[in-house]
Amino acid sequence: MARKASLSGFPEWLPGERLVELHVLDTLRRIFELHGFSSVETRAVETVGQLLRKGEIDKEVYGLSRLQGDEPATAEDPNGLALHFDLTVPFARYVVENAGHLNFPFRRYQMQKVWRGERPQDGRFREFTQADIDVVGDGALPFKYDVELALVIAEALSALPIGDFKLRVNNRKLAEGFYRGLGLDDTAGVLRSIDKLEKVGPARVKELLREELGATGEQADAALALAAIRTEDMSFVDQVRALGVQDELLEQGLDELSQVVSMAVRRAPGRVVADLSIARGLDYYTGTVYETMLVGHEQLGSICSGGRYESLASKGSRTFPGVGLSIGVSRLVSRLLAEGTAVASRSVPTAVYVTLANDDAWSEAQDVAAQLRSRGISAEVAASAEKFGKQIKFADRRGIPFVWFTGSDGAHEVKDIRSGEQIPADPASWAPPAEDLAPRIVAN
Amino acid sequence: MARKASLSGFPEWLPGERLVELHVLDTLRRIFELHGFSSVETRAVETVGQLLRKGEIDKEVYGLSRLQGDEPATAEDPNGLALHFDLTVPFARYVVENAGHLNFPFRRYQMQKVWRGERPQDGRFREFTQADIDVVGDGALPFKYDVELALVIAEALSALPIGDFKLRVNNRKLAEGFYRGLGLDDTAGVLRSIDKLEKVGPARVKELLREELGATGEQADAALALAAIRTEDMSFVDQVRALGVQDELLEQGLDELSQVVSMAVRRAPGRVVADLSIARGLDYYTGTVYETMLVGHEQLGSICSGGRYESLASKGSRTFPGVGLSIGVSRLVSRLLAEGTAVASRSVPTAVYVTLANDDAWSEAQDVAAQLRSRGISAEVAASAEKFGKQIKFADRRGIPFVWFTGSDGAHEVKDIRSGEQIPADPASWAPPAEDLAPRIVAN
């Protein structure tokens, strides 16, 4: 970030920086809507009971209490209020509450702030924006959606000025079936150990598998061999088979992952990798899992993660399976801004600054501006008739590319401040070049 | 609201309702940007000290504390964290913190959620969205901005499907100068009493003025006579003068209000009223004050209020005067939804549902969808090759107007579900009628 946040972990952007963030949000919205996802917003506030429903929560939750009055919310009071820490838990509640009003499979996107009281560090904030997409079924949800969501996200991320990325895909069934086939029955435990691979390295993971899960050297080596498989094509299938493990769940996982990767090879070449080390240990996924790295910025962590839940939510005996991904918008935007890889061509929407020859000309100047605006050209009118030089300087300082002059004879001229070129112009028809109409986001 | 919120005071919308809200937000953004306002977002969280800085606060503030650990925020600890209750206080802080990076006069719009722990009632929520515009100067800010903001807001509200409204304008200087000229020196006290006019009626206000402020019967009558003036043209000036009060500040206020009203008569006929009863007693305005009523829904209260602050913020001896207005988006939207005065033509973005003749056709169906999307047409592909009747029914239930078929010979046809008409179509060139391209908001 260019400036230090005045409250650690709570970033704020200058107007030019905000344009980069808006560009990211607008682009994601456009792609999601083109793919038929509906916009949903949930309240920022949930009950503590709702947030802690899944049991062990590794996110720090902010409770609420009115300064005048209330007892503060605590983890012990399920009716207390707290800020949501992600968009999945609130969406699950929304689906259950509104099931009678929704058509399933229900496709929604949701772009909102979330809060976590964690220690702030690079790329980790206490208040940040996420952009989620999910498809949720009623009772059942075809696997095809796991394939589709990988393609939608690859398309959405490709439309952002973020450079190259890799969407890494794995499948919990594949991994769990493999461990089971090996004779390691605490598959969740193995997943948790494998999840540490990037942090502590294979030697340490092997120790963990042997010490904590009682794995033999051969079992540990096989689990590590599986996690070492990473291919951009279908060759991962043969590599897994070469490890010689037989299991029904493994076969199902292999088939599912094959469907995702084979379609991605065809429809999003170079964007998707089968990466058998992806575990996402602490989340509640039951099949496909996704993670996304910015190439060259792997230390930033995943900028977009998700997966398949067999039961995103339930209502009595009715369950709602889902598959979805969540983009860390603030993490992405803060990186774009810090590296200067995306900048706004100007920081104001204004394309034309309409000057005043004298203070009585304000309403006619507004007429000029209104004609421009009616054709989608952003325009401001000077508030007082200072010397033209001063009015031009004001526009220049704000980055407005054009200034407009109306003579006492009613003749109009427009000046490009950058080139100095000044030409006669008609407010009913003149338009700036397309690239000057609105601020553009330029990738560096 | 159609449904009861599951947490009182925290409204949530169904996808079709959300489209109405999005339409309101998108429209406001478009108008604000056409007038040169930059988007700014501030964090939702402020320090308690910042929020209570102006002293007496009549809003209930939500303090934050982590469920695991922290002492809860209290009114006594200025470093505690709390949720903002409006967008003015955070914006003032933002201006002071970033003054070195902003160009003044700085024009910004800000559309965000705010929180107030008040008792929920019709049109009053605990979590709601506001849309603010302000212009802020460094040291000085020409009065012309007070005129401009009235016009921008009148244009913005006119673009919404909310029916007729009246922007009521008054001027604190006019009122205070008048009271002073009458010999009533506790002008703030008089304003507070006048502010109760709509609630308790003139007889009770007269009593209050006599009992609490020691006004004579004549003084109280004159103050009430001033507050009774309401004109859509410049005749308020003569009506004020007819009351025979002389005061310099009164003259200044009359001149300022005349500037706003005379320009509004010309540029926004029928939208703006000089209403000399508007006091906005508890806010810190120093000149122009604005309030907006929906015609026929006056009991809803003001849907857009604001005014001029001589000092929105200060930094040492440097002051930042401002003028701005805040639109109560949630209050407006909840009314539109409750009355059904604005509805979405469909609840999904999808225009075309691409069916599958068999499961192997999924990738070719995605090719069709991609061609449509590349021309801005929202399209979804079926997840499994059920019977066509079932696929059509699925699209129909979700409100998708068109279904696409690709024969085994590669021939394409598209069917309008509503009319039943089915025609040959080329995915590279076919487009739905403009009114079916995206969901539209229809005013009833």
Side-chain angles (χ1 to χ4, degrees), chain A residues 3 6 12-13 18 26 29 33-34 39 41 43 61 63 65 67 93-94 97-98 267 367 378-379, chain B residues 3 6 12-13 18 26 29 33-34 39 43 61 63 65 67 93-94 97-98 267 367 378-379:
Chain A
R3 297 148 310 112
S6 62
E12 288 183 325
W13 312 128
R18 167 69 176 157
D26 288 344
R29 173 180 171 183
E33 291 182 351
L34 280 173
S39 173
E41 279 202 353
R43 48 180 154 81
V61 176
S65 56
L67 291 189
R93 175 194 49 77
Y94 177 95
E97 282 181 10
N98 297 296
R267 306 196 64 84
D367 287 335
S378 173
Chain B
R3 296 150 308 113
S6 62
E12 288 183 325
W13 312 129
R18 168 67 177 158
D26 288 345
R29 174 180 171 184
E33 290 182 352
L34 280 173
S39 173
R43 46 180 154 83
V61 176
S65 56
L67 291 189
R93 175 194 51 74
Y94 178 93
E97 282 181 10
N98 297 296
R267 305 196 65 83
D367 287 335
S378 174

Side-chain angles (χ1 to χ4, degrees), chain A residues 39-78:
Chain A
S39 173
V40 160
E41 279 202 353
T42 57
R43 48 180 154 81
V45 172
E46 297 287 334
T47 60
V48 169
Q50 193 62 246
L51 291 179
L52 303 184
R53 204 167 52 90
K54 292 260 183 186
E56 177 203 14
I57 292 289
D58 61 325
K59 326 311 197 228
E60 290 263 19
V61 176
Y62 279 119
L64 295 187
S65 56
R66 288 177 304 155
L67 291 189
Q68 293 90 343
D70 294 3
E71 288 296 298
T74 65
E76 283 68 44
D77 175 15

Side-chain angles (χ1 to χ4, degrees), chain B residues 11-198:
Chain B
E12 288 183 325
W13 312 129
L14 290 171
E17 299 173 329
R18 168 67 177 158
L19 287 173
V20 173
E21 182 177 54
L22 269 180
H23 173 75
V24 168
L25 295 171
D26 288 345
T27 303
L28 294 176
R29 174 180 171 184
R30 183 174 55 81
I31 304 277
F32 296 157
E33 290 182 352
L34 280 173
H35 285 266
F37 290 81
S38 290
S39 173
V40 160
E41 279 202 354
T42 57
R43 46 180 154 83
V45 172
E46 298 286 334
T47 60
V48 169
Q50 194 61 248
L51 291 178
L52 304 183
R53 204 168 50 90
K54 292 259 182 188
E56 177 203 14
I57 292 287
D58 61 324
K59 316 336 191 217
E60 290 262 19
V61 176
Y62 279 118
L64 295 187
S65 56
R66 288 177 303 156
L67 291 189
Q68 294 88 343
D70 294 2
E71 287 296 298
T74 65
E76 283 66 46
D77 175 14
N79 297 318
L81 300 182
L83 294 175
H84 58 208
F85 56 79
D86 73 5
L87 301 177
T88 306
V89 171
F91 177 57
R93 175 194 51 74
Y94 178 93
V95 166
V96 168
E97 282 181 10
N98 297 296
H101 301 277
L102 304 174
N103 283 308
F104 295 95
F106 176 53
R107 308 157 75 85
R108 82 87 176 76
Y109 71 92
Q110 188 169 348
M111 309 200 290
Q112 283 183 255
K113 293 202 173 139
V114 304
W115 294 266
R116 295 182 190 176
E118 295 168 307
R119 201 165 58 81
Q121 46 182 302
D122 185 34
R124 288 203 186 264
F125 301 115
R126 294 184 148 190
E127 171 174 298
F128 55 100
T129 300
Q130 291 195 328
D132 282 27
I133 53 171
D134 286 272
V135 182
V136 177
D138 182 358
L141 184 72
F143 180 76
K144 219 63 182 186
Y145 288 110
D146 295 45
V147 182
E148 186 193 345
L149 282 212
L151 299 177
V152 174
I153 280 291
E155 184 177 331
L157 294 176
S158 300
L160 299 180
I162 58 174
D164 198 14
F165 64 87
K166 295 286 178 196
L167 181 62
R168 302 174 178 175
V169 191
N170 194 7
N171 191 294
R172 281 269 174 100
K173 292 176 188 168
L174 191 164
E176 289 178 22
F178 185 88
Y179 306 148
R180 219 174 57 181
L182 271 178
L184 293 169
D185 285 335
D186 181 1
T187 57
V190 180
L191 273 175
R192 265 198 304 277
S193 303
I194 293 293
D195 208 23
K196 296 176 182 148
L197 206 45
E198 219 148 340

